[in-house]
Amino acid sequence: MTDDITLHIPGPIPVEPDVLAAMAQQVRQHYGGDWVGYYQAFTERLRRIFATGGAVYPLPASGSGGVEAMMSTLIGNGGRVGVIANGFFGDRVLQIARAHSAQAEALELPWNRPADPGEVRTWLRRTRVSVLGVVHSDTSTGVINPVAEIAAAAREEGVAVAVDAVSSLAGMPVETDAWGLAAVSTASQKCLEAPPGLAPVAVTAAGWELIDRQPEPARGWYLNLRTWREYEHAWPHHPYPVTLATNNIFALDRALERILAEGLEARFARHRAAQQVLRRGLERLGFTVLADARWASPTITVAYPPSGTSPDQIVQGLRSRHGIAIAGGLTQLAGKVIRVGHLGTQAYPEKMQRVVDALEACLKELSAARA
Ligand SMILES: Cc1ncc(COP(=O)(O)O)c(C=O)c1O
């Protein structure tokens, strides 16, 4: 393995030296007075990022662990759930929903457009689910689903909304309380600018209300957010059920301080500016960006290369000759697209310009090799 490759894949991302240093400190006790005070300040910072006054749990897990905790707890044992499936990660939420309920419905949509709130409403009236799962920014397509509008429509139909914000939180607005969401899950290794290992999940009062009136509660223990709530209240010296990933928390906390110091609005503008540099550059080089500009994610761009050029060769050439890692497509987009992350520390216009310059050089190299 080499350190010479700069990660422009859609997560994980390079982290700042002070975040790495925070991770490298000596292991501490994860319960008792000192730690619990620190932990409360950490979760308060997380709440600010989620824009919620609700509960926040930093699960030691990858992003999928957080999504499973959120979905399984909201679904309960065998509850009725719907999922918007318009990308690889929407399909994953669906697989998770199906693992927890035989009554899981999918709103299957093409991968190149968001769900329309009107069609979601019509579908919810037909399916009569209690919970709706949706991915905010699908990392496989770079398409944003309009979560605020979908949640407003769902609320009017009495449906609680659970959001996979793994590649959106801290890179674009996510207003957990103001949008009336039941729960939101994310991961430490994307716009939160920390190493992989934590899956913070937020649950609002609306989420608990649904959870508390389920005919049959969820069956799991570790990923059951009821368990996390129980310990939060019953064990003040150890307000979580398990040993926490303390060093991951030190790193994430340092990153949260950075994020709050920068300011969320400034960050969102920075992500958008980086995205635009990349999009314009790709278009100039003859790529076709999958997502229309109206719903393009500020954190990931997915694009078809100019005709006659293989995306896999671009990915390889960028890595071997330019020291830049980008990603290829997933499942139905495999061998068709490239994916570039502009998440957190990647999301600077000048860094995106470097990626565009490397892509330009790589296209020339590939065409010279073909001649
Ligand atoms: C939108 C989205 N959801 C879920 C996941 C799964 O996260 P993890 O690989 O950390 O389990 C990812 C990972 O890229 C993602 O981008």
Side-chain angles (χ1 to χ4, degrees):
M1 289 222 292
T2 166
D3 277 344
D4 304 341
I5 306 286
T6 305
L7 295 188
H8 277 292
I9 57 174
I13 62 167
V15 306
E16 298 290 354
D18 58 336
V19 172
L20 275 186
M23 182 119 179
Q25 63 186 285
Q26 186 52 273
V27 172
R28 309 283 173 86
Q29 183 174 339
H30 68 285
Y31 52 88
D34 281 1
W35 167 267
V36 171
Y38 169 79
Y39 175 78
Q40 306 293 11
F42 161 71
T43 50
E44 196 45 50
R45 281 192 261 279
L46 266 181
R47 271 193 200 91
R48 285 173 64 191
I49 312 257
F50 276 104
T52 185
V56 178
Y57 304 118
L59 304 188
S62 83
S64 305
V67 175
E68 180 150 16
M70 167 179 81
M71 291 304 295
S72 62
T73 310
L74 285 176
I75 294 169
N77 185 22
R80 294 189 67 86
V81 52
V83 177
I84 295 173
N86 60 343
F88 177 86
F89 290 103
D91 284 353
R92 177 166 299 181
V93 177
L94 178 62
Q95 279 175 29
I96 289 171
R98 286 188 171 145
H100 292 276
S101 174
Q103 303 197 78
E105 306 273 348
L107 176 59
E108 304 264 5
L109 297 173
W111 280 24
N112 63 352
R113 71 162 176 90
D116 171 74
E119 75 186 324
V120 173
R121 181 196 296 272
T122 309
W123 176 72
L124 289 176
R125 282 187 183 155
R126 209 176 58 239
T127 53
R128 308 237 140 263
V129 297
S130 332
V131 183
L132 172 68
V134 57
V135 177
H136 194 189
S137 159
D138 202 302
T139 316
S140 65
T141 59
V143 169
I144 293 290
N145 281 310
V147 166
E149 292 79 5
I150 289 171
R155 239 189 2 261
E156 283 172 24
E157 301 304 319
V159 177
V161 176
V163 179
D164 169 343
V166 167
S167 67
S168 63
L169 191 83
M172 57 182 289
V174 177
E175 297 283 340
T176 302
D177 286 352
W179 294 353
L181 305 175
V184 176
S185 64
T186 193
S188 50
Q189 76 271 20
K190 308 249 185 201
C191 299
L192 290 179
E193 302 193 4
L198 292 176
V201 182
V203 186
T204 64
W208 291 125
E209 209 251 310
L210 170 84
I211 292 166
D212 288 333
R213 68 179 149 81
Q214 283 160 342
E216 284 194 53
R219 283 226 171 123
W221 187 88
Y222 184 92
L223 292 181
N224 190 334
L225 298 174
R226 287 169 178 267
T227 311
W228 287 73
R229 178 176 62 172
E230 191 182 315
Y231 280 79
E232 183 183 14
H233 298 300
W235 279 27
H237 71 296
H238 186 307
Y240 20 80
V242 298
T243 308
L244 290 182
T246 44
N247 285 52
N248 287 77
I249 288 179
F250 287 136
L252 177 56
D253 192 43
R254 180 68 204 111
L256 297 183
E257 280 174 4
R258 282 182 161 277
I259 291 169
L260 292 170
E262 180 179 9
L264 288 173
E265 290 305 323
R267 271 179 90 69
F268 302 153
R270 171 161 72 74
H271 280 78
R272 193 51 88 188
Q275 178 232 348
Q276 281 166 4
V277 167
L278 179 64
R279 187 179 183 98
R280 276 198 299 271
L282 287 170
E283 286 172 352
R284 179 175 62 76
L285 297 177
F287 287 79
T288 307
V289 176
L290 183 146
D292 186 281
R294 284 170 292 170
W295 48 70
S297 172
T299 63
I300 297 118
T301 296
V302 178
Y304 297 92
S307 65
T309 316
S310 138
D312 296 341
Q313 281 182 343
I314 296 175
V315 172
Q316 277 163 23
L318 225 57
R319 186 180 185 94
S320 59
R321 290 190 296 279
H322 300 275
I324 292 177
I326 61 169
L330 293 167
T331 56
Q332 60 173 265
L333 292 172
K336 296 185 181 159
V337 294
I338 60 164
R339 293 185 302 139
V340 181
H342 25 99
L343 303 133
T345 58
Q346 299 168 327
Y348 289 89
E350 57 280 13
K351 291 190 181 177
M352 285 302 119
Q353 189 56 51
R354 243 176 281 144
V355 173
V356 171
D357 293 345
L359 282 169
E360 182 163 20
C362 186
L363 289 183
K364 284 188 187 135
E365 289 151 12
L366 290 174
S367 109
R370 278 197 301 270

